[in-house]
Amino acid sequence: MYRFGEVSVQAVSRVAAILLAFTEVQGAQGVSELSRRLALPKSAVHRTLDALTSTGLVAQDPATGKYLLGPRALELGMTGFGAPDLRTLAEPVMRELMERTHETVTLSYRVQDERVYVSQVESKQPVRMTVTVGQRFPLYAGASGRAILAAMSAEDLERYLSSVELLPLTRATVYDRDQLLGVLEEVRQGGFAVSFGERDPWAAATAAAVTAGGRPIGAISVCGPLARFQGAVVSLCSEAVRDAARRISDLLSGGGTVPDPRRDAKPAAAPAPR
């Protein structure tokens, strides 16, 4: 058998098959499922997943124990499209946004008909929102996904709506097609999306799309406990996240500069009542 150093051709083929399997089925997958689909021994799948998890190419959902593509796999995809590393460019903007709003800031990539969290800057408040990096969600539910949908072309949006089943994740999820189209028009007009308890009943968020070449590749959001997202707080966060998304999009196109939070940060607003 041919070998590249200590790695066999068989092992390389197994790694490729497992990574590609995540692009063929939506959602996280378990060892047994991958073993059955790929006709590979469970022990071999488990060893390979452990190795891929250690590199960040695959991530494990701590709640279910299942696996999904990790942030490093998404970086490879972005590099293939010739785009700069979005996480690296976005990090200083995200930190400044957290200081400005006092809430957790997240960054999502669009992956086919879903989005996946690739980075977060957590709020310093005792009660705060956190996300699982690597976790995927449908685009129609929640602020980040809707921000991406609203930035799509009419053709891409129609293709998306024709190919997915809109199902409620909570009692507040907008999943009626006509209602969703109306909400997306509001997002386009305002430049940001908001959601209140649509993915998690206790959480709220505001988000704006990050674009490259005129196409949405992800979204940046400010999120926190539902009880804190009221009135002036929503207005502050929405304005701030829209500005942050514009700055990151400019950086991706080479038209902006990476901010120095110590120099460029605006005075922080007072924390919202808890």
Side-chain angles (χ1 to χ4, degrees), residues 10-179:
Q10 183 182 39
V12 173
S13 297
R14 183 183 303 143
V15 168
I18 289 175
L19 288 174
L20 290 173
F22 287 104
T23 69
E24 298 167 355
V25 176
Q26 293 187 1
Q29 301 180 64
V31 172
S32 297
E33 180 182 355
L34 286 167
S35 172
R36 182 171 58 254
R37 288 181 56 214
L38 300 175
L40 291 171
K42 287 185 181 180
S43 58
V45 173
H46 193 271
R47 287 196 304 270
T48 305
L49 287 170
D50 279 347
L52 290 171
T53 300
S54 69
T55 66
L57 290 171
V58 167
Q60 187 175 27
D61 185 337
T64 65
K66 293 186 175 183
Y67 297 84
L68 62 167
L69 286 178
R72 299 306 301 274
L74 300 173
E75 289 178 16
L76 286 176
M78 293 297 295
T79 302
F81 282 116
D85 180 0
L86 176 57
R87 290 195 306 165
T88 299
L89 290 177
E91 182 178 1
V93 181
M94 293 173 66
R95 294 195 176 280
E96 179 181 335
L97 182 57
M98 187 278 291
E99 293 292 345
R100 182 176 175 185
T101 64
H102 303 287
E103 298 292 354
T104 295
V105 175
T106 74
L107 183 68
S108 297
Y109 279 164
R110 176 189 173 187
V111 181
Q112 297 177 338
D113 289 340
E114 298 178 299
R115 67 174 179 87
V116 59
Y117 285 121
V118 294
S119 184
Q120 70 177 320
V121 176
E122 290 188 27
S123 167
K124 298 175 183 178
Q125 302 199 62
V127 178
R128 60 185 179 269
M129 176 89 173
T130 61
V131 303
T132 300
V133 172
Q135 192 169 10
R136 292 191 185 200
F137 292 101
L139 294 177
Y140 67 87
S144 291
R146 280 209 297 270
I148 293 171
L149 286 181
M152 286 183 182
S153 67
E155 294 77 12
D156 284 347
L157 178 59
E158 178 57 34
R159 183 205 57 78
Y160 170 81
L161 292 175
S162 300
S163 64
V164 300
E165 185 178 7
L166 305 179
L167 298 172
L169 303 185
T170 72
R171 295 175 63 181
T173 304
V174 177
Y175 64 98
D176 175 80
R177 179 188 171 105
D178 290 340
Q179 184 181 1

Side-chain angles (χ1 to χ4, degrees), residues 241-263:
V241 80
R242 181 175 55 193
D243 178 60
R246 185 180 301 116
R247 294 170 69 183
I248 295 171
S249 299
D250 286 345
L251 289 170
L252 285 170
S253 66
T257 57
V258 177
D260 180 346
R262 296 167 299 180
R263 181 195 65 208

